[in-house]
Structures are given as structure tokens and as C-alpha cells.
Amino acid sequence: KATQEVIDRIDKALGGKDVDDVLLAMVRKEFRQKHGLDFSTTSHPAEWFAIRDKVIQIDHALSACTEAKLCDRVDGKSVTLAITREALNSAIQPLMTRVEQVIAEAVQQAKVNQKEIEHVLLVGGSSRLHAFQETVQRLFGSERILGSQTSPDLAIAEGAAILAAK
């Protein structure tokens, strides 16, 4: 029932990059605390992008494991940081609040009652995050979630193909 107006108002920028940015901030904070070093894309571009790649790997790993480690060096200084799924979930709580707001607004703009929604399909890489799954399950109930029946990435590709065909 969603109209184009509803779709246009949705926070489309909310996603995996936001989670990666939170993880990267955690790593930067650790470097600051341990070495007094605040690295960025301009001060240490090669290290920045290498660490960003590792942060993305940690993001993916925490979907399957409860802890992941980052070991890296910036400006000759090393840091090892164990990141737990629990710490990530806590750090991304503001993002989950935004997810709840987006869902509430979409339901309101579509002029449906949340209880009328029969099924919820989780798509995109962020749908693998336990915090995301827990947020959606809390809102809709686990019995209405269809995420395990389809690949979250394939669903995005199929949706893009359908939109392109229209």
C-alpha cells in the first residue's frame, strides 16, 4: 500500500555504512586513548581505508559470531581491539531508534494499522544485524518476519530490477 510519497520520505541513507561508521569511531577512540593519535582520511589515508575494510569485515563477522578482533597499525602504532556483538548493539542503539522512526512513519503514511501488516521481509546487509532483527521482531513479532526465506542481498537486486523494469 506504500505510495511513492511514502517511499520518498523514508530515510534511505540509513544502513550498513552507518554501522561501519560507528565501528570506525570505536576504533578511532581506542587509538586516541592508547596513543593520543586521531587518524582520518586526510592524516593517514592508506591506514584509514585499510582499517575501514577491516571494520566492514568485523561488521559482517558479528552477524555470525559474538566477538571479533581488529588488529592494525597507524603511524607505526598498533592497536588490538576486541569488539563484542553486545558492544556493537549498544553503540548502534541510536540507529535502531531511527529504524523504529522510519517504520512508524512508513506505517502512518501508508494509512495502515501495524497489526494489519501480515509479513515483513528483511532485506539488505543490515538485516543480518541482531540488533536490527530484534528491533523489527519487537515491533512486528517474530512470526511475521520472512527474512530467513530469502537472501537479503538478492532481494535488493530483485527489487532494483523490478523498479528498473517499471
Side-chain angles (χ1 to χ4, degrees):
K1 284 188 171 185
T3 64
Q4 189 61 45
E5 178 184 318
V6 172
I7 293 168
D8 289 342
R9 291 186 56 170
I10 292 176
D11 189 352
K12 295 177 191 143
L14 182 59
K17 182 183 177 306
D18 297 295
V19 175
D20 297 340
D21 287 345
V22 168
L23 281 167
L24 192 55
M26 293 168 74
V27 173
R28 289 179 71 192
K29 180 180 178 184
E30 182 71 16
F31 262 95
R32 268 193 313 276
Q33 289 176 341
K34 188 172 181 183
H35 300 295
L37 175 66
D38 191 9
F39 65 94
S40 67
T41 54
T42 55
S43 66
H44 298 85
E47 289 100 337
W48 172 272
F49 289 107
I51 289 175
R52 183 156 194 87
D53 286 344
K54 289 181 182 177
V55 159
I56 291 168
Q57 292 170 6
I58 286 173
D59 180 1
H60 295 171
L62 289 174
S63 294
C65 304
T66 57
E67 183 175 300
K69 265 190 184 161
L70 178 133
C71 301
D72 216 322
R73 301 178 71 77
V74 174
D75 205 23
K77 297 175 169 79
S78 66
V79 71
T80 300
L81 179 62
I83 301 172
T84 64
R85 182 185 297 157
E86 185 179 323
L88 174 63
N89 288 352
S90 177
I92 64 172
Q93 196 52 52
L95 298 177
M96 294 305 102
T97 300
R98 283 175 57 196
V99 167
E100 288 183 44
Q101 292 167 345
V102 166
I103 290 170
E105 184 175 336
V107 169
Q108 179 186 12
Q109 292 294 318
K111 295 182 173 84
V112 296
N113 184 310
Q114 193 164 314
K115 293 184 187 333
E116 293 177 271
I117 298 172
E118 294 178 25
H119 302 290
V120 177
L121 178 63
L122 302 180
V123 299
S126 294
S127 67
R128 290 184 182 94
L129 289 169
H130 287 267
F132 182 83
Q133 293 170 5
E134 290 167 1
T135 298
V136 176
Q137 286 175 4
R138 188 176 67 256
L139 295 172
F140 292 98
S142 59
E143 66 281 353
R144 294 194 270 173
I145 309 298
L146 299 177
S148 62
Q149 287 85 358
T150 188
S151 161
D153 301 315
L154 182 58
I156 293 291
E158 288 175 348
I162 291 168
L163 185 61
K166 288 183 178 182

